[in-house]
Amino acid sequence: MTDEEKKLIEQEAADDKLINEAYEKLINDYQNSRHRQKIDLIAKAFNFARQAHKGVRRLSGEPYIMHPIAVAQIVCSEIGLGSTSICAALLHDVVEDTDYTVEDISNMFGPKIAQIVDGLTKISGGIFGEQASAQAENFKKLLLTMSEDIRVILIKIADRLHNMRTLDSQPANKQYKIAGETLYLYAPLAHRLGLYKIKSELENLSFRFEHPEEYATIERKLEETRLSRHKSFDEFIQPIEAALQKMGLQYEIKERVKTPYSIWSKMQKKHVTFDEIYDILAVRIIFTPKVREEEINECWNIYVALTKIYKKNPDRIRDWLNQPKANGYQALHVTLMSKQGLWIEVQIRSDRMDEVAEQGLAAHWKYKEGVSEDDLITEDETELNEWLHTIKEILDDPQPDAMDFLDAIKLNLFASEIFVFTPKGEIKTMPADCTVLDFAFSIHTFLGSHCIGAKVNHKLVPLSHRLASGDQVEILTSKSHHVQPSWINFVTTAKAKAKIQAILRRASRDIQKKGEERLEEWLEKNDFESTPAIIDRLCHFHDVQRREELFQGIGENTILLGEKDIDELKGKNKKKTENTGGGWRKYVPFVKAKKEEEEKQEEQQKLFVVPEKFNRKKPIYINEENIHQYLFPDCCHPIPGDDTLGYIDNRNRIEIHKRTCPIANKLKASYGNRILDVKWDMHKKLFFDATIRLGGIDRRGLVNEVTRVISNQLSVDIRKLTFTTEDGIFDGIIDLRVHDRDDVAEIIDKLKEVDDLKEISQIL
């Protein structure tokens, strides 16, 4: 036997050991759950999947079957689903990656498992065309199947969680794509389905891959403050434990620490440092009620006991007991002042409420006697069914554009809710910030499309009026009133947006048809062939993104075809400047160019066009010589040192975005295959714009001190300085020219030494 053969046998033995141990753990966890009836079916699915994936390895090097087992493990242990879901998880990649078909799965495992596997199988081709990411298509198919069986999306979330846990093996551009999709779609979806624990892990993993340095910094600071947090926690809960024991309760008190992602998000939104975030620590009280039907009353009894020990913040009481959140979350939150002078949030939950909060939908089932997983999946869960119905309506009239479609779904994953009453006193859950028009569309499309206003709490208000929790709303309609294009600007819900867009699209189809016919006639008259290339040139010339917009403009007479169009098509027009109408620009750093370098610069400033056989896995390096070859969008103004990525646009040029940019987040989710890894290779030769915000207590000489620190000590140019003062408090904005992110950090550190400056942050 050769050394090669020996190695192969040893590798197979090691693989078998690894696979068998993972499978045994899955079976043990399944047997310890409330589902204990179909081990034979799971074994059959495991053996079938193991054989189908035999010899295939993941990028990490482990046998491929380890991935389906891991997904099944998450489905079983972390989401709490039963045999149907575990089998579907084990089989979820078989149809996509092997020669087996959905029909084969149906014949062997029944139509239900086959339907779920089909919903989880990726698709080729589709409504969005080749320009869009397959992710949008797959997400659409997933949602279509989900509205028939919610387990499809639960397994898909488990699949995404395992992919995120093993993302290290992927190249950087793939990491940004997958992390971006996760943060944009899958984390909100997990939240909407009540999978809080999974949602938090998805957010954290996305954050770790997109911003590794910030993640590591927050992790380090959490570790540094761990002992002081434990001390605060122990001191805070001592009198609480005594009170709960006196009440004779069976309870558990947990220390809940904010996740790195939620800390970072708060730092970004509030423009504060880690040290300025005061709610990193929270306390969770989980109790087993003496009588299950009395658990809400017992929550309030605990609340009363706590407020006798500590002073409460009356503005920070959150009651989700009698009216749970749309994802099923139920708890009572109160913020109390500790003896150390810190506000600490306390979350009061029963054991059932805690399981629902952590596991979401699946946890409801544990408390319904004598009902199997299959029965519960189709059971009428009012909130969930309403949500699924809304998604179904969006899918029935899909957006022609991938990003619009994903946006519509994203809008539907609202986290903050208000409760609004109909004239008859029925309660409806709506997203915070919704308008009268959103409410009208949520009741019926006819009401929405003919809405002229409403009476809110018996007072007449316009369509754009924003609703508040507790409002009673009566919609007023007129048959002669129809949908207006401006409505899209003040609706916030996915359903209203989708319906308005669908109605407007139907109306604009006739105009587009007329515009297309006019264009055909004009082209024929001027001896041009009607080809996609010709139409695309006209789109670019008139600064429109899509052909439909061009047809619309011609049909509405807002675009008039004439001599300039003929010159453009014949190539007679002078070259258009690169920044017209696109919302982006070539980067022009502030540097004095020597005359002898002008020719060299002109050559360098030609935009880089991605060739056909371009290696998208390798990072692109931006330096002083090639920075002019890339587009820097106006949406986020990245500077050296920022975490950035590249995006290949429709004309094969590369846009540079910050990884935190909202536009970049959409691009990662919608066009992930066009994302590139970008690294900076700059040497402090060029200058870039940066803006710093200051706040603090006003005093004489403060502005002079600030400018002296920046201009004299650090030799940084101040381009613009704006200070406003009110009641002794000032707010200031300083526009600077810096080399990179390190310069900004140094300026902020120096400014912290100035007395009476209380808030200093960079505006992103």
Side-chain angles (χ1 to χ4, degrees), residues 560-616:
L560 300 171
L561 300 168
E563 288 299 320
K564 285 186 179 176
D565 297 272
I566 295 170
D567 289 345
E568 170 66 18
L569 295 179
K570 287 182 176 176
K572 290 181 183 176
N573 281 342
K574 285 181 183 175
K575 195 173 179 187
K576 285 183 71 174
T577 54
E578 285 291 5
N579 66 341
T580 49
W584 47 261
R585 59 200 153 80
K586 284 168 72 171
Y587 213 99
V588 185
F590 309 101
V591 65
K592 292 174 185 174
K594 293 176 184 174
K595 282 186 180 178
E596 59 266 27
E597 291 180 353
E598 281 180 6
E599 278 185 36
K600 187 182 169 189
Q601 279 203 352
E602 201 173 306
E603 182 60 35
Q604 287 167 352
Q605 287 181 22
K606 285 180 184 171
L607 285 173
F608 176 71
V609 177
V610 174
E612 201 173 321
K613 291 184 178 177
F614 183 71
N615 186 348
R616 299 185 183 200

Side-chain angles (χ1 to χ4, degrees), residues 505-536:
R505 269 202 306 278
R506 278 198 290 275
S508 69
R509 273 181 206 135
D510 294 339
I511 298 169
Q512 284 178 22
K513 198 159 187 288
K514 191 199 291 181
E516 194 172 359
E517 286 165 3
R518 276 186 193 168
L519 178 61
E520 298 277 350
E521 285 169 20
W522 183 85
L523 289 170
E524 195 178 326
K525 183 181 163 187
N526 291 286
D527 297 325
F528 292 111
E529 211 177 323
S530 178
T531 64
I534 290 276
I535 296 170
D536 285 345

